[in-house]
Amino acid sequence: MGTPGYQVPGRTPVDAFPDSGYWYQQFRSEPYYREGDTYEDYEAAYRTGHAGRSRHPGLDFAAAETRLREEWEAGKGPSRLDWDRARLAVQRAWERALGRGEGGGIR
């Protein structure tokens, strides 16, 4: 398992997002984590949830979920998760971004 920001040879570089360090340390403590999962399995979900707060201002998670799923599927990369498992990680990152005041006036 690599650390956030590590460049995999032959893969397009992906900039670490602001919460990547937090999630890299936290993902094994989440209730949806399963033994054998790697950070790379969850990274796209966390990125999607975090960025989704600003991409979908004014929406709650339920209202944005269809769009978030499409965004996750388009950018999931090497993740081995299906949407049912990734959804929980997307939602946690969405909620964390909301708790930090990101997303511009979202209630």
Side-chain angles (χ1 to χ4, degrees):
M1 169 172 34
T3 58
Y6 171 75
Q7 174 56 41
V8 175
R11 192 167 133 196
T12 303
V14 177
D15 294 330
F17 65 103
D19 269 0
S20 63
Y22 171 82
W23 289 114
Y24 182 75
Q25 296 297 319
Q26 179 66 26
F27 82 97
R28 286 186 187 96
S29 300
E30 293 295 315
Y32 47 79
Y33 170 78
R34 292 185 188 163
E35 189 65 37
D37 288 349
T38 67
Y39 177 74
E40 288 76 17
D41 291 325
Y42 294 100
E43 182 178 26
Y46 295 138
R47 182 184 303 277
T48 300
H50 179 86
R53 295 300 301 145
S54 59
R55 281 195 307 264
H56 306 295
L59 298 181
D60 63 15
F61 183 82
E65 184 172 350
T66 298
R67 294 179 198 163
L68 293 168
R69 180 179 184 166
E70 291 168 357
E71 292 165 9
W72 174 77
E73 288 175 348
K76 73 179 191 170
S79 176
R80 299 176 293 168
L81 304 181
D82 61 18
W83 173 248
D84 289 335
R85 292 195 51 223
R87 179 189 179 279
L88 299 172
V90 171
Q91 187 171 13
R92 283 283 290 126
W94 172 282
E95 291 167 353
R96 178 169 162 80
L98 177 62
R100 293 179 55 208
E102 297 173 14
I106 298 173
R107 294 167 189 75

